[in-house]
Amino acid sequence: MVITLCLTLAVTMLAYPAAITQLAGLAVAQTTTQWNSLKDMAQGDAQSNGAGLFSPCLWNGTTCDRQRGTIAGGADVAVRSVSGGVTPANNFANPTNALTTFSLGGLFDGTAWDQWIGASNTNNTAITTQGVAYVTPASTWFQTNTPATNTQATTSKAAGGGTVRHVATSVTWCFATDTAAGAGPFNINLRDGATGAGTIMRTWIVDLPAIENSQCQDLSGLNMTGSANTAMTLEFSAAGGAATVETVSFTGYSTP
């Protein structure tokens, strides 16, 4: 029986590959017939075999490299396609990488990003505003004219220079007469340009019947934008005649 047991153990040991029959070296199976000597971390990166499935490594498509990390921070994770920090500024180019963005709020004007400027005592009274996002546009300037009787009422916001555009937000006009025959009709024109010359952007008509002596109209919620470096004018088309008075006023803001 002892002889039979010894023969059985001998046959069993001969059936295994020689790499694992001695304690001097360990091996891991690549296939059922191929074994590779097990390597420790001192072998470095780019190990293609013998690393063992329990080794902390990451496959790069060709070889397995050791995973990096620190005791304090744990595993290091590199996120691809992220550039360095960006300091927010106006006219920031539209990024090709969505992760490269403002750390502060911004608005895209179709070409570049501008800082989002909110309402304050300063920019509510300024000549121009930039990157404005108001629920209701703030009126930053106004123009008005009430001339003598039988005189055309007209008022203009002078050109702002450069790329500045005026935006009309509200208009007011009044017409009054002492006669009993009424008066009109007359046009009230909002012009993109100087009095009597600028392109008419919008027209309203006033016509006093014989039973009325005066009429006023206030129109708000407008957003009529003029051309760059161009005056904006609100005016009656002509004087009203004897014993008549006209008046016009409009408000707005300007963009750079």
Side-chain angles (χ1 to χ4, degrees):
M1 180 180 294
V2 174
I3 296 175
T4 302
L5 179 59
C6 292
L7 291 174
T8 301
L9 290 175
V11 172
T12 301
M13 294 178 64
L14 291 174
Y16 281 92
I20 62 172
T21 59
Q22 52 187 328
L23 295 177
L26 297 178
V28 291
Q30 178 174 327
T31 66
T32 57
T33 59
Q34 176 66 43
W35 293 77
N36 298 310
S37 297
L38 192 63
K39 304 171 184 177
D40 70 8
M41 284 307 212
Q43 295 292 325
D45 293 328
Q47 300 301 315
S48 58
N49 55 51
L53 293 178
F54 50 84
S55 298
C57 66
L58 298 174
W59 183 251
N60 64 15
T62 304
T63 59
C64 186
D65 296 327
R66 291 173 295 177
Q67 182 178 2
R68 267 55 171 176
T70 63
I71 295 176
D76 288 340
V77 178
V79 181
R80 295 182 179 179
S81 303
V82 177
S83 62
V86 177
T87 301
N90 290 329
N91 295 319
F92 176 66
N94 198 27
T96 56
N97 185 337
L99 294 177
T100 305
T101 57
F102 270 162
S103 60
L104 302 176
L107 296 172
F108 189 60
D109 63 9
T111 303
W113 290 86
D114 295 322
Q115 296 178 53
W116 186 338
I117 301 177
S120 70
N121 291 334
T122 300
N123 60 47
N124 268 351
T125 58
I127 297 300
T128 62
T129 51
Q130 182 168 339
V132 178
Y134 298 128
V135 175
T136 300
S139 296
T140 61
W141 50 254
F142 67 90
Q143 295 290 135
T144 186
N145 178 239
T146 305
T149 59
N150 193 22
T151 303
Q152 179 192 21
T154 178
T155 184
S156 298
K157 175 66 177 175
T163 60
V164 173
R165 298 171 181 265
H166 298 321
V167 183
T169 56
S170 72
V171 299
T172 301
W173 52 262
C174 292
F175 184 84
T177 179
D178 287 339
T179 67
F186 299 103
N187 291 347
I188 298 92
N189 298 320
L190 179 64
R191 293 181 178 273
D192 180 28
T195 176
T199 301
I200 296 175
M201 297 190 293
R202 183 163 292 187
T203 297
W204 300 269
I205 298 177
V206 56
D207 187 10
L208 287 184
I211 60 174
E212 290 187 19
N213 293 102
S214 65
Q215 188 178 121
C216 286
Q217 184 73 46
D218 290 298
L219 299 172
S220 60
L222 304 178
N223 199 44
M224 302 298 298
T225 305
S227 301
N229 193 22
T230 303
M232 183 173 284
T233 302
L234 180 67
E235 62 185 3
F236 274 77
S237 58
T244 64
V245 176
E246 302 172 350
T247 179
V248 289
S249 303
F250 71 121
T251 63
Y253 62 95
S254 300
T255 62

